[in-house]
């Protein structure tokens, strides 16, 4: 199913169920928030986001060719997330503090820039509730994550990544993808994975790699793990 959605590219990957606070200061995105707030039904205050590819500086106009898209001198990934605006507070200078939650995945096919804010031609991707995911895959990922967050907490001397994990395999896969400390390319690969089984298998491999890295490097810089949250609602 294709449609046009307002588009807000970010320097991070957002997953379904993930809550993200944003400071909105650019004029075009202020206009986007203003328009969303005019929608009387909070459930319809939605827009799309895709991650900006790291290290890309391109000058070509946006076009459909290739594995990524370009817009405003930025190269964008094609698979992103539908966001719902859940909270908004206007600052004295006209900027906004907002909170958004991921509602589902999208695939970007084009960007429209002739309006007050960019919009994307997107395909909404189906919900991922894979009842066929093997229970042993689910338990392996869950158990490995518990070991990972214990090791991370011991390394930093404080409890990190606390909270109760979802029971549903699909929600579990999105939760682990959102809260595991991974570089952007790995997070994007998890978002692009088309089923729960594959995503949990990828997470299992990535968690093992992260734990091996922590064993090799006994002292890591402090990390900020509180910027995002998980909301199954």
């Amino acid at each position: 199913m294709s449609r046009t959605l307002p588009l807000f590219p970010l320097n991070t990957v957002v997953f379904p169920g993930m809550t993200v606070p944003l400071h909105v200061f650019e004029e075009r995105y202020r206009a986007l928030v203003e328009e969303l707030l005019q929608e009387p039904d909070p459930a319809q205050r939605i827009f799309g986001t895709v991650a900006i590819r790291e290290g890309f500086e391109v000058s070509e106009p946006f076009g459909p060719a290739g594995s990524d898209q370009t817009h405003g001198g930025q190269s964008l990934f094609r698979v992103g997330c539908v966001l719902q605006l859940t909270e908004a507070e206007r600052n004295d200078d006209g900027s906004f503090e907002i909170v958004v939650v991921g509602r589902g995945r999208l695939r970007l096919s084009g960007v429209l820039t002739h309006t007050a804010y960019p919009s994307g031609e997107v395909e909404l991707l189906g919900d991922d509730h894979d009842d066929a995911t093997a229970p042993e895959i689910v338990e392996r990922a869950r158990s490995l994550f518990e070991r990972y967050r214990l090791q991370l907490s011991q390394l930093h001397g404080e409890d990190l990544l606390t909270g109760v994990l979802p029971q549903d395999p699909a929600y579990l896969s999105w939760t682990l993808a959102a809260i595991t400390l991974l570089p952007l390319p790995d997070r994007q690969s998890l978002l692009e994975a088309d089923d729960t089984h594959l995503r949990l298998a990828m997470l299992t491999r990535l968690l093992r790699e992260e734990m091996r890295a922590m064993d090799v490097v006994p002292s890591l810089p402090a990390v900020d793990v509180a910027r995002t949250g998980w909301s199954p609602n």
Side-chain angles (χ1 to χ4, degrees), residues 27-230:
E27 190 64 36
R28 55 185 171 173
Y29 298 121
R30 291 189 200 182
L32 167 56
V33 174
E34 293 274 11
E35 184 163 316
L36 290 173
L37 291 176
Q38 297 303 310
E39 169 58 55
D41 182 358
Q44 297 304 314
R45 295 173 183 168
I46 61 172
F47 59 103
T49 188
V50 288
I52 301 168
R53 292 171 66 95
E54 290 179 333
F56 271 71
E57 293 183 3
V58 294
S59 58
E60 295 84 356
F62 179 90
S67 61
D68 55 70
Q69 308 298 306
T70 62
H71 164 61
Q74 300 167 332
S75 182
L76 309 176
F77 285 101
R78 294 187 65 183
V79 175
C81 195
V82 178
L83 302 180
Q84 180 185 347
L85 176 67
T86 58
E87 299 178 36
E89 180 179 348
R90 190 193 308 271
N91 297 317
D92 292 340
D93 62 1
S95 64
F96 287 92
E97 307 299 330
I98 68 173
V99 177
V100 300
V101 62
R103 290 305 189 201
R105 295 189 305 153
L106 61 80
R107 180 175 289 110
L108 179 66
S109 60
V111 172
L112 308 174
T113 59
H114 59 275
T115 54
Y117 49 80
S119 297
E121 296 288 348
V122 304
E123 174 191 358
L124 302 183
L125 303 179
D127 291 337
D128 179 19
H129 294 279
D130 188 356
D131 295 332
T133 304
E136 58 268 25
I137 294 292
V138 178
E139 184 54 37
R140 186 179 303 136
R142 183 187 297 274
S143 175
L144 196 59
F145 178 78
E146 294 293 352
R147 290 166 49 196
Y148 164 80
R149 69 175 169 185
L150 176 61
Q151 186 174 343
L152 191 67
S153 297
Q154 291 173 339
L155 187 63
H156 289 279
E158 59 179 311
D159 289 338
L160 300 175
L161 305 178
T162 58
V164 178
L165 296 175
Q167 294 299 313
D168 179 83
Y171 285 149
L172 175 67
S173 72
W174 291 130
T175 303
L176 297 186
I179 63 180
T180 301
L181 307 178
L182 296 170
L184 187 145
D186 288 339
R187 292 169 67 83
Q188 181 65 32
S189 294
L190 290 168
L191 182 65
E192 293 179 5
D194 285 331
D195 63 72
T196 300
H197 182 103
L198 174 59
R199 192 174 306 111
L200 288 173
M202 293 170 63
L203 279 160
T204 299
R205 173 180 59 81
L206 291 167
L207 284 167
R208 287 194 177 116
E209 291 175 356
E210 290 298 303
M211 292 170 68
R212 283 197 294 266
M214 284 189 280
D215 286 334
V216 172
V217 183
S219 177
L220 295 176
V223 294
D224 181 359
V225 296
R227 290 185 180 177
T228 63
W230 169 258

